[in-house]
Amino acid sequence: MEKQVLESSEERTFQYQDSLPSLPVPPLDESLSKYLDAETEGECPSHLIVLCRGRVFAFDAIHEGNMVTPPEIFRQLTYIQKRCHSEPEGPGVAALTSNERTKWAELRQYLIDLDPKNLTLLEKIQRSLFVVCLDDSSPHATPEDYTEITRLGLTGDPTVRWGDKSYNSIFFSNGTCSAFCDHSPFDAMALITMLSYVEKKIIENEGKWKGSDKVRDIPVPEELVFTVDQKIQDEIGCTKDLYYKKVSDLQIVNYAFTSFGKALIRKKKLHPDTFVQLALQLAYYKCHGRPGCCYETAMTRRFYHGRTETIRSCTMEAVEWCKSMLDPSDSTYQQLQLMHQAFAKHNKMRKDCENGKGFDRHLLGLLLIAQEQGLPVPELYVDNAFTASGGGGNFVLSTSLTGYTRLSGSALPMVHHGYGFFYAIRDDRIVITCSSWKSCPETDAEVLCRTVFQCFQDMLQLTVAAQL
């Protein structure tokens, strides 16, 4: 559901490179373009972009003042799919958006200089509601294992993903679906809220359209044909090679723990999110023999323009509990007491962060002010302890709860020796997505995920033993 997430830094900077030196490169990609405005603010776009087999199409979601119906959308998508399967593949310009930011900025400008029409097409894509990706892959999934669909959703065909769009809706050829997002404009809960509504409506209607099957005489989709030269074609090939080389290094698993879920955890009077976070701390300690500095997302949406704050899950209380759980001489009672103390600490931190009493966003703001005003960077930010604690985007565990929903998310590790760890907590199960880099000999997403599952059982057993 999420692209490469680095929530500890909201800015995306261009590092100047020597390639294409004749092209001016801005020092900072500092703006977000917003097109969905209130009616009083002007015209609002209503068209969709569809990517299929390296080609780009557009069609309007409004016809004669009314939204197009599902049969009409199906007609449009079928038209695109039939054309793309009976005609040669397109150049795959979308792949360029998966490139390193500076390189893509340079190539984007090259496209514009090559033909002014390319700027019109790029702006049309930028202004669209969102991108629909028709992917030829057929990922297999079971109620216990969603790994393949998650892997392809996050690291699939770059010619049918537009990296600069905030939302790409991916539909695979076997009917499974996923999403691919740019984190900059919004946080995961905005997407989860929307998709939960969609899921609710699908369930209410038993997956069937119960309205009219009539298809109005609406214009067929328009193909957006970019002017490309040999240089752009070569760059697309190089970008795809680099992309597939990078993603081949990613290890990602998406498994469901089905022994119990939120219902039983609540019955034990424990907070489900804290339950998972402490299980992760214990699992990391078991796997690596040391605590793991951890980032967990706290939502600050109760504030105007509120985004996120960092819950630092690796507390002293959590570490003391982990040590006790691995010490055979400690009693069950002692371990349970320490666990309750760790729960209490984490629960308090979550409330504090949600109420604007965290500190990581404040520290980020102070750092950016110093940089923007040319002031000396305070010593705190270059202190080894600050980095070791996760500061500056160095959290070994990058985690987020995707809600008490049927929707799962994923992201890449913040650091090479770290893990991405997302989870959804349902009444009867906990669905975990864990990622790591194969090239790092220290980490193994499969092992950590399985160890977390065992820790869930250990924690439940602890509460049961205490009642005997």
Side-chain angles (χ1 to χ4, degrees), residues 325-356:
M325 290 293 287
L326 299 178
D327 186 346
S329 66
D330 280 2
S331 67
T332 299
Y333 176 79
Q334 184 177 359
Q335 292 170 344
L336 186 66
Q337 291 297 107
L338 289 171
M339 186 177 81
H340 283 313
Q341 290 173 21
F343 263 88
K345 176 63 178 231
H346 192 92
N347 293 343
K348 182 179 184 302
M349 282 199 310
R350 181 191 306 103
K351 288 183 179 179
D352 286 345
C353 290
E354 290 173 348
N355 285 296

Side-chain angles (χ1 to χ4, degrees), residues 103-359:
K103 187 68 173 178
W104 163 228
E106 295 169 347
L107 292 172
R108 184 181 184 279
Q109 187 60 50
Y110 183 90
L111 275 170
I112 294 168
D113 293 342
L114 187 64
D115 187 340
K117 183 192 75 170
N118 287 341
L119 175 59
T120 303
L121 301 182
L122 287 166
E123 288 181 339
K124 185 154 190 170
I125 295 171
Q126 289 168 196
R127 288 178 56 84
S128 65
L129 295 174
F130 57 90
V131 173
V132 176
C133 311
L134 301 182
D135 194 308
D136 287 338
S137 303
S138 299
H140 178 67
T142 70
E144 290 77 35
D145 187 353
Y146 306 92
T147 297
E148 191 175 1
I149 189 171
T150 301
R151 179 181 60 81
L152 287 173
L154 186 65
T155 64
D157 183 356
T159 68
V160 287
R161 310 283 192 275
W162 197 270
D164 279 353
K165 282 302 288 183
S166 54
Y167 176 52
N168 288 243
S169 190
I170 305 168
F171 296 92
F172 297 106
S173 61
N174 61 354
T176 56
C177 55
S178 185
F180 184 78
C181 302
D182 177 3
H183 205 338
S184 303
F186 62 79
D187 303 308
M189 289 313 298
L191 179 64
I192 289 167
T193 300
M194 180 189 76
L195 294 179
S196 293
Y197 175 81
V198 172
E199 181 194 39
K200 177 184 175 184
K201 290 301 179 182
I202 291 173
I203 293 172
E204 285 178 1
N205 291 282
E206 300 174 324
K208 300 173 183 177
W209 168 244
K210 297 183 179 179
S212 171
D213 290 331
K214 180 183 177 181
V215 176
R216 294 171 289 173
D217 184 21
I218 56 179
V220 297
E222 168 197 8
E223 183 167 11
L224 309 187
V225 181
F226 285 88
T227 299
V228 300
D229 61 6
Q230 190 59 49
K231 173 180 172 52
I232 288 294
Q233 292 178 23
D234 292 344
E235 290 287 358
I236 290 170
C238 290
T239 299
K240 289 166 65 176
D241 289 344
L242 287 171
Y243 173 85
Y244 283 118
K245 180 180 179 181
K246 184 66 175 177
V247 301
S248 68
D249 188 34
L250 180 68
Q251 180 188 22
I252 190 164
V253 295
N254 188 185
Y255 298 144
F257 173 82
T258 57
S259 298
F260 58 85
K262 180 180 71 174
L264 183 58
I265 298 171
R266 284 289 194 194
K267 191 174 180 180
K268 298 294 182 181
K269 295 182 169 43
L270 299 172
H271 195 294
D273 174 69
T274 309
F275 186 92
V276 176
Q277 284 290 329
L278 289 180
L280 175 59
Q281 284 295 313
L282 180 56
Y284 185 87
Y285 208 111
K286 282 185 173 183
C287 291
H288 296 277
R290 61 182 184 274
C293 58
C294 182
Y295 168 97
E296 181 190 1
T297 307
M299 302 304 301
T300 55
R301 295 181 69 195
R302 67 186 63 191
F303 296 99
Y304 188 55
H305 288 318
R307 293 281 304 256
T308 65
E309 181 53 274
T310 302
I311 306 172
R312 290 176 169 248
S313 304
C314 186
T315 62
M316 290 299 297
E317 289 82 355
V319 173
E320 289 304 311
W321 171 67
C322 289
K323 290 178 179 178
S324 180
M325 290 293 287
L326 299 178
D327 186 346
S329 66
D330 280 2
S331 67
T332 299
Y333 176 79
Q334 184 177 359
Q335 292 170 344
L336 186 66
Q337 291 297 107
L338 289 171
M339 186 177 81
H340 283 313
Q341 290 173 21
F343 263 88
K345 176 63 178 231
H346 192 92
N347 293 343
K348 182 179 184 302
M349 282 199 310
R350 181 191 306 103
K351 288 183 179 179
D352 286 345
C353 290
E354 290 173 348
N355 285 296
K357 297 179 181 178
F359 58 82

Side-chain angles (χ1 to χ4, degrees), residues 1 146 150 254 402 405-410 422-424 431-433:
M1 195 173 297
Y146 306 92
T150 301
N254 188 185
T402 58
T405 69
R406 292 156 57 94
L407 303 168
S408 296
S410 60
F422 278 43
Y423 52 100
V431 182
I432 287 176
T433 309

